[in-house]
Amino acid sequence: MISMSFNINLLTDLQVMWQYGFMQHAFEAGTIVAIIAGVVGYFIVLRRSSFAAHALAHIGFAGAAGAVLLGIAPIIGLLLFTSWGGIAIAILGRRAASRDTQIGIVLSFMLGLGVLFINLYRGYATEAYSILFGEILGISNNDVIVTFISSLGILFLTGILYRPLLFSSLDEEVAEVKGLPTLFLGTIFMLMVAVATSFAVQVVGVLLIFSLMITPAAIAHRFAKRPKQGIMISVFIALIATWLGLFISFYEPYPVSFFITSIVFFLYIITLIFQRLKLTKDTSLNND
């Protein structure tokens, strides 16, 4: 990172930061990814599929390693592997109760492939390894465009499938009894998670994917009374964490992903403390 000194004048700090193209691209991509992570993440929490998002990120690493081995862009391998992994998880684990077992099976096989690909590659797979921790500051203008187009597709699908997807997320068994195509919805949703995960790892990396896709949604789930309200809160938290993380990392010599994960983590802790205090207060009032 470029060594810069922080100024109390926020407007001046922003002007200095925005002089650099790589920061502009980072903010553009980070904003897009945060919105998608907030939307998709809320459904992930509702469907109790947090492990699926985590697994797909690791499966994507195997795809990135394979792409490097073949001499193509890592993002292509990410998208291919996460997509096929998502379809496999949806088909093998149709019920939430058994889904974790099926995810573990697919994940272990894919990680084995990733290890094989890395060992077969004779050079130093910098691009593949960088996916473990995120590389948002290295995103190009073309990456921003691809991320934007893919995100529009996810938002479009979410809008079309919102009601049936919400119903099946809240109660999968009842939705199936009512005649909803739960397998189809589950497969489409896992593909959406796969695409969202592939781009989210550019921001926080494979190892920290929970921070952007799960934690904001988990916080929103505790506060929101309605699904749409929950999605908006989830997106807002993801945006704030991403923007603050990028801003602080420009002036401090530490990774962006560290700041993003720290921000959402402490927000979640504050949420738990706030709810615990509220519960204690309500209990005290009821006893009186």
Side-chain angles (χ1 to χ4, degrees):
M1 281 297 297
I2 297 172
S3 179
M4 291 287 179
S5 59
F6 181 75
N7 193 313
I8 299 300
N9 188 329
L10 183 60
L11 182 60
T12 301
D13 293 328
L14 289 173
Q15 289 175 340
V16 170
M17 185 174 58
W18 277 87
Q19 291 177 356
Y20 299 94
F22 71 91
M23 287 303 300
Q24 294 175 21
H25 296 152
F27 266 90
E28 291 164 356
T31 299
I32 297 167
V33 169
I35 292 172
I36 295 304
V39 173
V40 175
Y42 187 77
F43 284 100
I44 290 174
V45 172
L46 279 185
R47 296 176 71 88
R48 301 180 299 281
S49 299
S50 298
F51 185 39
H54 184 65
L56 286 176
H58 285 77
I59 290 171
F61 171 70
V68 169
L69 179 63
L70 296 175
I72 58 180
I75 189 64
I76 296 176
L78 262 170
L79 286 169
L80 287 176
F81 269 59
T82 54
S83 297
W84 283 108
I87 292 172
I89 290 170
I91 294 175
L92 293 175
R94 296 188 60 181
R95 292 287 184 272
S98 63
R99 196 170 292 144
D100 283 356
T101 301
Q102 313 300 343
I103 291 172
I105 293 171
V106 175
L107 173 60
S108 59
F109 172 68
M110 290 296 187
L111 284 177
L113 282 180
V115 173
L116 174 64
F117 294 152
I118 289 295
N119 277 274
L120 289 175
Y121 186 67
R122 298 305 178 188
Y124 184 68
T126 307
E127 290 181 295
Y129 281 117
S130 65
I131 288 179
L132 288 172
F133 304 101
E135 52 175 353
I136 188 170
L137 296 181
I139 288 179
S140 66
N141 186 56
N142 288 336
D143 293 331
V144 174
I145 294 173
V146 172
T147 303
F148 177 71
I149 294 173
S150 301
S151 298
L152 285 180
I154 292 177
L155 290 177
F156 179 73
L157 275 177
T158 303
I160 292 177
L161 301 175
Y162 177 75
R163 288 186 179 279
L165 184 60
L166 180 62
F167 189 9
S168 64
S169 298
L170 292 171
D171 198 324
E172 194 173 23
E173 293 184 359
V174 174
E176 189 169 13
V177 171
K178 292 290 186 179
L180 286 179
T182 53
L183 176 59
F184 172 76
L185 289 171
T187 303
I188 294 298
F189 177 71
M190 289 308 299
L191 285 173
M192 290 166 57
V193 174
V195 176
T197 300
S198 296
F199 291 107
V201 296
Q202 297 179 91
V203 179
V204 292
V206 166
L207 300 179
L208 304 173
I209 193 66
F210 264 53
S211 62
L212 204 57
M213 291 197 69
I214 305 301
T215 311
I219 296 172
H221 190 64
R222 289 179 172 273
F223 281 111
K225 295 181 179 179
R226 296 182 299 275
K228 290 182 180 179
Q229 183 184 48
I231 292 173
M232 288 189 290
I233 294 173
S234 178
V235 169
F236 176 76
I237 294 172
L239 282 171
I240 293 300
T242 302
W243 290 342
L244 279 177
L246 284 167
F247 179 76
I248 297 171
S249 68
F250 183 75
Y251 292 98
E252 297 295 333
Y254 303 107
V256 178
S257 56
F258 164 73
F259 292 112
I260 294 175
T261 54
S262 297
I263 290 167
V264 293
F265 173 77
F266 284 112
L267 284 176
Y268 186 72
I269 295 299
I270 292 170
T271 299
L272 293 180
I273 294 173
F274 173 80
Q275 290 194 322
R276 181 62 61 87
L277 292 175
K278 186 175 183 299
L279 180 62
T280 302
K281 182 180 178 181
D282 291 343
T283 303
S284 178
L285 289 174
N286 290 333
N287 290 335
D288 293 340

